[in-house]
Amino acid sequence: METAVNPFNAPLHYWRMRKVFKQLTPAEQEFIRTKKLDATHSTQHWLLFLKRLTRLDRMGSPLRRQFRRSRNWLIGFTIVSIFLPVPHLVVYALVGLTLASILLLHSCNNMDVNDNVRTGLIKLMQVLAMETNSVQLKLDLDSIHKRKPARTEKPEKNTQLAYFEVPLLQFRAKLKDGNELQLRVDDVICRRKRTRRNARGKVKTKIKYKGRRSIRSCLTLNAEYYHLRQGKLAPTSKAQTQNGITKVKSNSTFKFIGESRLMDAENILRTIAKSYQQTSIRARG
């Protein structure tokens, strides 16, 4: 069990984290930097990829909290020391420690792993590893602050709406039962910016975010073993047959408050299961 991070051992934990980061492959370091990924690998490769990133994330989270606390305390002590009769050497030391904490925090932030890796992706890949040998994976986990809005509206004079389209996750896999699975997870986030002028003439701006997540799965059936079940399909599912190839499409939609919502494997797997529930296994005779 690792020692808890505190102001005294934080530098040691930082150098351990740096060592782990340098041991990552160039592709893993690039993903941490850009938050984007588009590649095809075996499920075992993806599991190792995600596990290494998860290890780095678990090391970095408490370290960033500690450096953030240290920075805030040191800034406060430095400001107070300027107005108190303390030796200049003490003031210089506080300034130096403050700058060091700021630089270390910045370095930790540059090695920050997106939380979606730990909360959803690794769990999803663990399930996929039992059903397929290879996955084509595309991720775009960048912040909406680095994106341009897809469209804007102005419903009122002092209100502006900006809509951001975020293609979080896409993957394609040939399953062991012969079916082909495609899945997308997309967010549409609305930023509502409203300005008001108070009685003193001061302008205040309030910004709120709301989002809608869409999970869509497309299951291309292996006609040798699967066919559509009898009866009416689920309301959020539909089937399409063309040139003897049947595809079952299902979707799930969720609303959330805030700039983003972490991916959870449960809802993704539930949507995939919904596609399978619209099928039946052919009788073998």
Side-chain angles (χ1 to χ4, degrees):
M1 185 175 180
E2 290 192 5
T3 309
V5 179
N6 58 57
F8 303 102
N9 64 16
L12 178 61
H13 281 268
Y14 170 78
W15 291 116
R16 287 177 179 171
M17 182 181 174
R18 286 286 301 176
K19 183 178 179 181
V20 171
F21 178 79
K22 289 181 179 180
Q23 290 173 347
L24 298 179
T25 65
E28 291 163 349
Q29 294 183 14
E30 179 70 10
F31 171 68
I32 292 174
R33 187 181 66 83
T34 63
K35 308 293 190 293
K36 295 180 181 180
L37 181 68
D38 187 0
T40 302
H41 292 292
S42 68
T43 50
Q44 295 305 315
H45 174 95
W46 285 126
L47 280 175
L48 186 60
F49 181 98
L50 296 172
K51 285 179 180 178
R52 285 196 291 254
L53 295 180
T54 300
R55 181 191 176 196
L56 183 69
D57 185 47
R58 287 175 176 167
M59 295 179 70
S61 295
L63 196 57
R64 282 187 294 274
R65 287 194 296 269
Q66 180 58 60
F67 283 138
R68 198 174 292 116
R69 285 195 297 264
S70 298
R71 178 202 60 187
N72 295 340
W73 279 105
L74 286 167
I75 289 174
F77 286 143
T78 303
I79 294 173
V80 171
S81 67
I82 294 174
F83 300 97
L84 293 178
V86 298
H88 293 307
L89 187 60
V90 174
V91 177
Y92 297 150
L94 287 172
V95 171
L97 290 172
T98 302
L99 292 175
S101 65
I102 292 173
L103 292 174
L104 289 171
L105 178 60
H106 179 71
S107 178
C108 286
N109 288 335
N110 288 338
M111 295 184 284
D112 185 25
V113 178
N114 190 282
D115 289 339
N116 283 295
V117 171
R118 176 170 41 85
T119 61
L121 286 174
I122 192 167
K123 296 177 183 177
L124 177 63
M125 196 58 64
Q126 287 170 343
V127 175
L128 289 175
M130 297 185 289
E131 304 295 337
T132 184
N133 295 321
S134 177
V135 173
Q136 179 183 349
L137 183 63
K138 186 174 182 179
L139 295 171
D140 186 355
L141 306 178
D142 212 357
S143 168
I144 65 167
H145 298 290
K146 298 181 181 179
R147 301 177 187 270
K148 293 182 179 179
R151 68 182 192 276
T152 58
E153 297 177 2
K154 200 169 184 179
E156 299 175 6
K157 181 180 178 181
N158 299 325
T159 303
Q160 185 183 47
L161 303 178
Y163 294 89
F164 299 85
E165 297 178 356
V166 184
L168 282 177
L169 167 68
Q170 300 175 51
F171 76 74
R172 179 194 296 261
K174 186 77 171 181
L175 305 180
K176 293 179 180 178
D177 60 7
N179 294 334
E180 183 178 295
L181 176 63
Q182 299 177 60
L183 185 130
R184 289 183 62 102
V185 180
D186 298 278
D187 283 352
V188 176
I189 301 170
C190 175
R191 182 186 66 197
R192 182 174 180 267
K193 185 184 293 185
R194 190 171 185 180
T195 57
R196 283 186 177 182
R197 189 181 298 274
N198 59 23
R200 294 178 294 178
K202 187 176 181 180
V203 178
K204 290 187 176 181
T205 302
K206 288 187 177 181
I207 299 177
K208 292 184 179 180
Y209 293 89
K210 290 183 180 180
R212 184 181 74 249
R213 172 159 298 169
S214 174
I215 304 175
R216 292 174 288 173
S217 71
C218 177
L219 187 67
T220 302
L221 300 184
N222 177 7
E224 184 179 356
Y225 296 104
Y226 287 89
H227 63 89
L228 286 176
R229 68 176 175 84
Q230 294 182 349
K232 191 176 181 181
L233 299 182
T236 56
S237 298
K238 62 180 181 180
Q240 177 184 2
T241 301
Q242 188 174 5
N243 299 326
I245 299 175
T246 301
K247 295 183 178 182
V248 181
K249 299 179 181 180
S250 300
N251 68 82
S252 302
T253 305
F254 309 92
K255 293 182 179 180
F256 58 91
I257 303 296
E259 299 177 15
S260 63
R261 170 179 171 169
L262 293 176
M263 277 190 286
D264 56 302
E266 289 78 10
N267 283 325
I268 295 175
L269 294 172
R270 197 176 291 122
T271 305
I272 297 172
K274 193 186 300 181
S275 293
Y276 265 98
Q277 289 166 2
Q278 315 312 313
T279 68
S280 295
I281 300 177
R282 292 188 182 275
R284 309 291 290 178

